[in-house]
Amino acid sequence: GGLVRVEAQNLIRVDGAIVAGGNGATANGVLGGGSGNGGGSGGGIFLACQILTGSNGTLSVQGGNSGGGSGGNGGGGRLAVWYGTIRDADRTKILNGQEATVKGALFTSNTLGSFTGTVTIAGGTGGVAGAGADGTVVFLTINYPGGGTVVFIN
């Protein structure tokens, strides 16, 4: 399925398609051919920005379909959107599995209100092997504790 990685300082607007899907099975260059051939797994999409928007866009890491028969279907891929301000040191901690040490509240969700387009993480279908497993999706941000309010009364 490959990998798509986009990092922007401010806004990413998706009104088209960002796709890292698995290919369907082929035999001799013919899509869907070869009853024992399996579909490719979905790839990965990683987006990092302050704001993700879009209403007609598609983010897809769908697995590829088998060629039928005994061929397996590709599993869905991985989609991650990190939005808002995430400090470099905290990015490193999260990527190293040390999210418990981040000084802020991590919020994850499988939807994001500002992006109302289509998200596809399904596994491929076809054949007798059953559908490929769905992939994963996460929208992540960190709410850092504020500095508080200071009131001076003179």
Side-chain angles (χ1 to χ4, degrees):
L3 173 67
V4 176
R5 179 178 174 161
V6 178
E7 295 191 42
Q9 291 291 324
N10 190 13
L11 173 81
I12 295 176
R13 181 177 183 93
V14 181
D15 283 328
I18 299 177
V19 178
N23 284 337
T26 62
N28 299 323
V30 177
L31 187 62
S35 66
N37 295 341
S41 65
I45 297 175
F46 175 78
L47 305 177
C49 56
Q50 288 292 314
I51 302 167
L52 174 69
T53 66
S55 58
N56 298 313
T58 299
L59 300 172
S60 178
V61 291
Q62 185 167 348
N65 296 335
S66 76
S70 61
N73 297 291
R78 308 292 178 253
L79 170 64
V81 177
W82 290 17
Y83 65 97
T85 300
I86 300 177
R87 298 173 186 149
D88 288 342
D90 291 334
R91 286 174 58 113
T92 301
K93 290 176 184 176
I94 293 167
L95 292 171
N96 288 328
Q98 301 167 337
E99 57 275 350
T101 65
V102 172
K103 302 267 191 264
L106 258 63
F107 287 98
T108 60
S109 174
N110 60 3
T111 61
L112 181 63
S114 62
F115 177 76
T116 58
T118 303
V119 174
T120 306
I121 60 169
T125 59
V128 297
D134 288 344
T136 59
V137 59
V138 64
F139 294 93
L140 178 141
T141 193
I142 300 174
N143 284 347
Y144 291 103
T149 302
V150 177
V151 177
F152 291 99
I153 300 175
N154 191 352

